[in-house]
């Protein structure tokens, strides 16, 4: 479905992503894991054609450089980390923007499926009642749900997430990840996401790509990739021991 | 920013445009009547009606003042006000910056320099002596915009409100000095420094109004065509790219269109500051931030504001006539502080 071959991204002369290759198939939720500065977000930026890179990304057999932005957006949607608003757009207007690439003609009409998909996206993310609310009145969690609804309205087959639940409280993290897992159940869909929280990665991911200093340390099924040795090598820490110690605090008092 | 969750989408009604159009027509009529010689409203309406219907009328002082002096001036003011406000709305959306405007960013000053150089050097286009001035103003407006954005980008990749405005202010001061040099060394050929820095509509004629109307029609249609893209940019440039907007191409087209329109305005009236900054905010209060509604509303609000500013400039200290830019800057500076304060507080 999506593959990257020998991808290198440089900021100045420094390679931030270095000769990295990977592939993603339908049904997979691939977690990009690694410490800060590993190049995860830059790799996502390169996939979405936001930064210049060398190497080749292939989407369903085609070089992504040859695909127009609108065509890419009809298949691939991106949910970024932080979305702040300057103007008082309504929730519905922002979600409706997800239909941009599907609209045709001078008046942007001809998108009959669009209205239905916007309604569905609002319903799935629990925003139907807030549809007319101004974006400036929403909490951080509500704002992030609006952008999640926007990517659902975009009706992609690949969803790319760059730490979507960062800065959100547990309730919203769970709600967003559960919603995405349900979305993934439909055939032909895949998710590629950057997650800092390894517990979340383990809980929701099917596959993982572990990165350090711009290179892939390992990749494959999540249980194989997030093994004790590789994690220790990447994080310079016994992650397993840390996780167990942390979990020990979460027992009911006798 | 909590409070009422109702948005403009619910409150908006097409009647808003009808009311704005009626207010604009009334203001235009008022501006034609008022001045050093007051002309009764009925007389004014009759003269304009007869002129529009093509009836020939005997020469009279009133008719002369209305048709040869005030009407072309009022038309030019409306068109410049509408155009500058439209450009401000487009720039504030494109750059996601509530303080973006031709005057705060230094684009108008750049255009004024181009126009002043063209006048001083006597540039003209075949068949149109004024064409050279307009084209130079358009080119310099675009050059200034690209320069300011490149400098701001080098300083701060997020193109934040503060960096753009800071560079715009420094650029405007620098350009004003260069304009004064151009004016000093070619005093016979170009207009006064006051004209270029504060603006003026004295001596504007129907040929200026035709030029402005044509520019506004073309550029207005282009900007309206990109209204959905402007909404996407106003939500966020990365978001725009992710939903499939060809970001670079659209940005370039909008910047060229805005520069061209500002260039035409400046070549006719000099630099009239702050119209493009304040009026889109007033329009946003009336119809909300969606550019499908905001761009047309900005046209009306800009035209009405500039007409009233001109009326104030002509009548408040009568018989002394102030530069129109004095009035817009007095109001604009206060509005700038209010908007900047709210932006910083929200950010």
């Amino acid at each position: 479905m999506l593959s990257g071959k020998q991808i290198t991204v440089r900021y100045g002369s420094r390679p931030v992503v270095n000769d990295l290759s990977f592939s993603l198939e339908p049904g997979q939720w691939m977690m990009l894991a690694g410490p800060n500065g590993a190049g995860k977000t830059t790799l996502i930026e390169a996939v979405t054609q936001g930064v210049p890179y060398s190497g080749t990304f292939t989407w369903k057999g085609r070089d992504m450089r040859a695909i127009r932005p609108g065509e890419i957006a009809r298949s691939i949607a991106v949910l970024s980390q932080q979305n702040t608003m300057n103007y008082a757009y309504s929730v519905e207007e922002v979600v409706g923007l997800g239909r941009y690439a599907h609209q045709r003609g001078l008046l942007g009409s001809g998108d009959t499926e669009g209205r239905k998909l916007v309604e569905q996206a609002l319903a799935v993310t629990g925003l139907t009642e807030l549809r007319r609310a101004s974006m400036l009145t929403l909490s951080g969690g509500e704002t992030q749900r609006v952008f999640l609804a926007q990517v659902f309205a975009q009706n992609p087959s690949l969803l790319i997430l760059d730490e979507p639940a960062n800065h959100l409280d547990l309730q919203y993290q769970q709600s967003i990840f559960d919603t995405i897992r349900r979305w993934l159940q439909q055939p032909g869909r895949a998710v590629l996401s950057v997650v800092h929280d390894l517990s979340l990665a383990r809980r929701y991911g099917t596959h993982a790509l572990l990165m350090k200093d711009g290179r892939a340390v390992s990749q494959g099924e999540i249980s194989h990739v997030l093994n004790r040795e590789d994690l220790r090598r990447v994080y310079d820490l016994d992650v397993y021991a840390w996780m167990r110690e942390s979990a020990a605090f979460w027992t009911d008092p006798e | 920013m909590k409070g009422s969750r109702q948005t403009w989408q619910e409150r908006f009604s097409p009647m808003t445009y009808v009311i704005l159009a009626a207010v604009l027509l009334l203001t235009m009529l008022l501006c034609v009547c008022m001045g050093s010689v007051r002309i009764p409203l009925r007389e004014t309406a009759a003269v304009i009606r007869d002129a529009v219907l093509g009836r020939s009328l005997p020469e009279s002082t009133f008719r002369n003042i209305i048709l040869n002096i005030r009407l072309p001036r009022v038309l030019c003011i409306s068109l410049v006000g509408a155009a500058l406000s439209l450009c401000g709305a487009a720039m504030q959306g494109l750059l996601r910056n509530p303080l973006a405007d031709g005057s705060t960013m230094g684009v108008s000053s750049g255009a004024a320099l181009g126009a002043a150089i063209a006048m001083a050097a006597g540039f003209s286009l075949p068949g149109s002596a004024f064409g050279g001035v307009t084209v130079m103003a358009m080119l310099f407006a675009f050059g200034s915009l690209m320069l300011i954005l490149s400098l701001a980008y080098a300083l701060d990749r997020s193109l934040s409100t503060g960096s753009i405005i800071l560079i715009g202010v420094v650029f405007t001061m620098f350009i004003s000095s260069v304009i004064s040099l151009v004016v000093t060394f070619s005093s016979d050929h170009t207009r006064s420094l006051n004209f270029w820095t504060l603006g003026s509509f004295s001596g504007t004629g129907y040929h200026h109004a035709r030029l402005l109307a044509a520019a506004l029609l073309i550029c207005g249609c282009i900007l309206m065509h990109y209204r959905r893209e402007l909404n996407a940019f106003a939500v966020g440039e990365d978001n725009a790219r992710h939903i499939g907007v060809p970001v670079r191409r659209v940005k370039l087209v909008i910047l060229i269109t805005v520069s061209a329109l500002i260039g035409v305005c400046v070549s006719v009236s000099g630099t009239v500051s702050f119209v493009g900054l304040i009026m889109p905010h007033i329009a946003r209060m009336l119809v909300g931030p969606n550019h499908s509604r905001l761009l047309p509303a900005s046209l009306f609000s800009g035209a009405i504001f500039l007409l009233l500013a001109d009326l104030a400039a002509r009548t408040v200290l009568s018989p002394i006539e102030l530069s129109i830019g004095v009035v817009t800057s007095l109001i604009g500076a206060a509005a700038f502080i209010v908007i900047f304060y709210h932006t910083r507080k929200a950010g």
Side-chain angles (χ1 to χ4, degrees):
Chain A
M1 186 174 197
L2 173 73
S3 68
K5 232 181 226 160
Q6 296 174 314
I7 303 298
T8 299
V9 183
R10 290 174 189 279
Y11 286 152
S13 59
R14 190 171 68 92
V16 186
V17 173
N18 201 348
D19 196 27
L20 189 144
S21 300
F22 72 96
S23 79
L24 179 70
E25 299 304 328
Q28 294 181 354
W29 184 336
M30 182 181 271
M31 298 289 184
L32 292 180
N36 286 333
K40 307 181 297 289
T41 296
T42 306
L43 179 63
I44 295 265
E45 281 282 290
V47 174
T48 59
Q49 311 295 300
V51 288
Y53 59 88
S54 62
T56 315
F57 284 112
T58 312
W59 171 253
K60 293 184 176 169
R62 290 168 67 194
D63 184 342
M64 282 185 71
R65 283 199 185 90
I67 312 177
R68 295 162 72 96
E71 202 181 335
I72 291 179
R74 286 197 286 277
S75 308
I76 301 176
V78 184
L79 180 63
S80 307
Q81 199 177 125
Q82 275 173 330
N83 287 294
T84 52
M85 295 290 296
N86 281 357
Y87 301 114
Y89 283 95
S90 72
V91 166
E92 196 175 15
E93 283 172 328
V94 175
V95 176
L97 279 175
R99 298 304 301 162
Y100 172 82
H102 299 269
Q103 288 162 339
R104 299 248 189 278
L106 264 181
L107 296 170
S109 51
D111 180 28
T112 42
E113 201 194 352
R115 185 152 284 278
K116 212 175 74 191
L117 280 162
V118 169
E119 291 301 326
Q120 278 174 7
L122 286 169
V124 165
T125 49
L127 290 166
T128 309
E129 278 185 22
L130 286 177
R131 61 192 306 155
R132 294 284 168 93
S134 155
M135 290 294 291
L136 297 179
T137 65
L138 303 186
S139 69
E142 287 170 335
T143 304
Q144 199 61 330
R145 262 157 60 204
V146 173
F147 285 97
L148 181 66
Q150 189 194 68
V151 297
F152 285 158
Q154 214 170 319
N155 196 26
S157 35
L158 171 62
L159 190 51
I160 295 181
L161 315 165
D162 186 4
E163 300 191 62
N166 211 11
H167 311 302
L168 297 187
D169 59 35
L170 281 177
Q171 183 200 349
Y172 283 123
Q173 283 194 13
Q174 191 201 8
S175 144
I176 282 190
F177 277 81
D178 283 347
T179 311
I180 293 166
R181 183 149 65 186
R182 278 195 297 276
W183 176 86
L184 182 61
Q185 281 164 0
Q186 202 146 319
R189 289 177 170 176
V191 181
L192 175 66
S193 66
V194 173
V195 199
H196 259 300
D197 186 335
L198 291 173
S199 306
L200 275 178
R202 194 72 202 245
R203 189 173 178 139
Y204 291 94
T206 63
H207 290 69
L209 170 60
L210 192 58
M211 291 176 72
K212 188 179 187 182
D213 299 330
R215 291 180 182 276
V217 174
S218 68
Q219 58 181 301
E221 281 184 26
I222 197 144
S223 51
H224 291 129
V225 174
L226 299 187
N227 65 66
R228 191 167 205 155
E229 278 319 301
D230 282 342
L231 286 177
R232 192 201 305 267
R233 201 144 51 94
V234 166
Y235 287 95
D236 296 322
L237 173 81
D238 186 351
V239 175
Y240 274 50
W242 170 263
M243 289 290 183
R244 279 204 194 113
E245 277 171 35
S246 304
F249 292 107
W250 302 103
T251 49
D252 286 322
E254 292 291 320
Chain B
M1 298 291 267
K2 297 269 170 184
S4 167
R5 287 196 152 195
Q6 196 187 32
T7 50
W8 303 108
Q9 206 182 341
E10 278 179 320
R11 276 179 256 174
F12 174 74
S13 139
M15 266 309 278
T16 311
Y17 293 136
V18 178
I19 295 167
L20 282 169
V23 173
L24 174 61
L25 282 175
L26 275 175
T27 315
M28 287 174 87
L29 205 56
L30 187 69
C31 288
V32 175
C33 296
M34 305 270 284
S36 50
V37 178
R38 289 205 176 186
I39 305 169
L41 194 62
R42 189 176 294 174
E43 187 99 23
T44 308
V47 170
I48 294 175
R49 186 193 58 219
D50 290 339
V52 170
L53 295 175
R55 292 182 195 155
S56 59
L57 280 168
E59 283 290 327
S60 75
T61 317
F62 281 172
R63 184 177 182 273
N64 205 19
I65 293 175
I66 291 170
L67 293 184
N68 295 334
I69 300 169
R70 292 208 186 144
L71 191 59
R73 181 186 170 118
V74 160
L75 286 173
C76 285
I77 295 169
S78 316
L79 290 163
V80 167
L84 292 178
S85 177
L86 182 75
C87 290
M91 283 164 90
Q92 287 168 16
L94 182 74
L95 301 171
R96 204 169 167 266
N97 184 335
L99 287 173
D101 158 44
S103 56
T104 51
M105 289 178 63
V107 185
S108 304
S109 307
L113 177 62
I117 291 175
M119 275 190 189
F123 290 157
S124 62
L125 289 182
S128 163
F130 193 67
V133 176
T134 305
V135 169
M136 278 286 279
M138 287 159 75
L139 290 176
F140 270 65
F142 183 66
S144 309
L145 191 50
M146 295 312 277
L147 182 67
I148 291 156
L149 289 177
S150 312
L151 286 172
Y153 190 73
L155 191 74
D156 166 12
R157 283 173 69 92
S158 70
L159 285 181
S160 72
T161 309
S163 3
I164 291 187
I165 303 305
L166 190 65
I167 291 169
V169 168
V170 174
F171 185 78
T172 303
M173 286 161 74
F174 170 72
I175 293 292
S176 297
S177 322
V178 181
I179 294 176
S180 74
L181 281 175
V182 173
V183 172
T184 307
F185 288 104
S186 58
S187 50
D188 292 345
H189 305 289
T190 185
R191 306 179 74 160
S192 72
L193 183 63
N194 246 9
F195 171 80
W196 294 119
T197 53
L198 289 171
S200 167
F201 285 91
S202 59
T204 44
Y206 287 112
H207 63 291
H208 291 121
R210 275 195 293 273
L211 173 69
L212 286 165
L216 184 57
L217 184 69
I218 296 167
C219 297
C221 286
I222 295 173
L223 293 177
M224 266 312 273
H225 176 69
Y226 285 112
R227 65 200 180 283
R228 289 183 305 140
E229 286 80 357
L230 282 169
N231 285 332
F233 275 104
V235 168
E237 186 170 330
D238 281 339
N239 191 254
R241 181 163 54 80
H242 294 152
I243 61 169
V245 175
V247 169
R248 275 190 190 183
R249 183 175 60 78
V250 171
K251 208 171 183 178
L252 191 66
V253 173
I254 293 174
L255 289 176
I256 291 174
T257 308
V258 164
S259 316
L261 195 49
I262 290 178
V264 173
C265 291
V266 169
S267 70
V268 170
S269 65
T271 307
V272 182
S273 302
F274 292 112
V275 184
L277 171 69
I278 321 165
M279 282 306 118
H281 286 278
I282 303 289
R284 236 175 252 121
M285 286 179 195
L286 294 172
V287 299
N290 191 323
H291 288 79
S292 313
R293 305 187 295 267
L294 177 65
L295 295 178
S298 297
L299 289 172
F300 288 115
S301 62
I304 294 166
F305 171 74
L306 203 55
L307 282 168
L308 292 175
D310 181 64
L311 192 62
R314 284 190 290 132
T315 54
V316 169
L317 294 178
S318 180
I320 299 170
E321 187 176 324
L322 297 169
S323 292
I324 191 166
V326 171
V327 179
T328 59
S329 298
L330 277 175
I331 302 168
F336 180 96
I337 290 166
V338 172
I339 298 164
F340 193 53
Y341 176 77
H342 280 291
T343 316
R344 293 303 286 259
K345 220 173 133 194

